Amino acid sequence: MRKWISKLIPLIMIFVLTSFSYNIIAPKIGTVALPKTLKISKPTEVLYPKYKTAIENDDEMLSVNPPFLGDSYNAFKEALAFKESQGDYFVTNTLGYVGKYQFGAETLQLLGVTNVTAFLSNPILQEKVFYTNLSRNKWILRRDIKRFAGRKIAGLEITESGILAAAHLAGPGNVKKFLRSRGTHTVQDAYGSSIVYYMKIFAGYDVSAVKAVRNPRI
């Protein structure tokens, strides 16, 4: 009996030491905080909140989750740019309108830009021109914004951002006529986009950052 015990003691000591060492070097998973696998669900609103994506499965994974800009001025201008050119600074359409926001040569000249080629290759200038044009349109439409924003015309809710977007499409003069005719006077561009459509899809953005300026120039 003593002979068997003497043989077992070394084995018991090896087992105890091995278990003790393992617990120090490689603790059990339950004793440490392991990083969780990150799961990105499809957002209800992404970069352009007015272009809401219908969601059929909240568990659908996204490889890219674009930044959420909410209803800010940046969201407004990026959504409008996406509609105009898909955000491409260097594009010219079939009618000769250029850049991210699709300006015509006459409007550019009115704002102080005479070199269309240089404009097309200069994203910083394009952003400045877009804001300057908004400032001009806001000045021209300031009384109409005050009068009609928050009201409905032919079932359409009128907002400041919708008015400014429509002015970008059709010019402030046509937007004045639309509002003051209670929607009976309307126009659309060569591709079929109308004042009503722009007022609808670009409604509700916060464009208070845009200051109304009379005859602004670059």
Side-chain angles (χ1 to χ4, degrees):
M1 184 69 177
R2 289 181 179 179
K3 184 177 179 180
W4 283 104
I5 292 175
S6 63
K7 289 182 178 181
L8 284 174
I9 288 175
L11 294 174
I12 293 172
M13 290 182 67
I14 291 172
F15 175 79
V16 171
L17 290 173
T18 303
S19 299
F20 181 75
S21 298
Y22 178 79
N23 284 331
I24 293 176
I25 298 171
K28 294 180 181 178
I29 291 178
T31 64
V32 294
L34 297 178
K36 297 180 179 179
T37 301
L38 297 179
K39 180 180 179 182
I40 304 175
S41 295
K42 200 169 191 177
T44 55
E45 296 179 349
V46 287
L47 183 59
Y48 313 120
K50 303 309 169 188
Y51 296 124
K52 294 183 180 180
T53 302
I55 297 178
E56 298 178 355
N57 183 4
D58 274 343
D59 293 329
E60 182 177 352
M61 298 291 289
L62 287 182
S63 59
V64 177
N65 189 12
F68 176 70
L69 299 179
D71 292 340
S72 66
Y73 167 73
N74 282 337
F76 170 75
K77 74 182 185 69
E78 293 303 326
L80 186 56
F82 187 82
K83 178 64 178 68
E84 293 290 324
S85 69
Q86 294 191 340
D88 188 345
Y89 284 108
F90 310 108
V91 68
T92 300
N93 76 2
T94 57
L95 300 175
Y97 290 86
V98 300
K100 181 178 177 179
Y101 302 101
Q102 293 293 279
F103 281 103
E106 291 183 4
T107 301
L108 291 176
Q109 189 170 12
L110 183 65
L111 298 172
V113 177
T114 57
N115 189 328
V116 176
T117 302
F119 171 80
L120 187 59
S121 64
N122 190 336
I124 294 176
L125 180 59
Q126 290 188 36
E127 295 294 340
K128 289 180 179 179
V129 167
F130 177 73
Y131 180 86
T132 302
N133 191 55
L134 279 182
S135 295
R136 175 179 176 272
N137 289 341
K138 192 168 185 177
W139 172 268
I140 295 171
L141 293 163
R142 64 194 185 284
R143 294 189 178 91
D144 298 277
I145 291 170
K146 185 176 180 180
R147 179 180 176 185
F148 293 103
R151 299 173 63 179
K152 286 190 175 182
I153 292 179
L156 175 67
E157 183 180 355
I158 305 301
T159 67
E160 182 179 18
S161 61
I163 289 173
L164 292 180
H168 183 84
L169 172 75
N174 281 318
V175 174
K176 274 181 180 286
K177 292 176 182 178
F178 172 85
L179 293 171
R180 296 179 185 186
S181 70
R182 301 300 192 275
T184 60
H185 175 89
T186 187
V187 297
Q188 64 182 32
D189 69 6
Y191 300 108
S193 294
S194 66
I195 287 177
V196 171
Y197 178 64
Y198 265 51
M199 282 196 175
K200 182 177 181 180
I201 66 172
F202 296 113
Y205 288 94
D206 181 3
V207 289
S208 59
V210 179
K211 305 303 179 186
V213 179
R214 182 178 182 178
N215 296 326
R217 290 175 67 85
I218 297 298

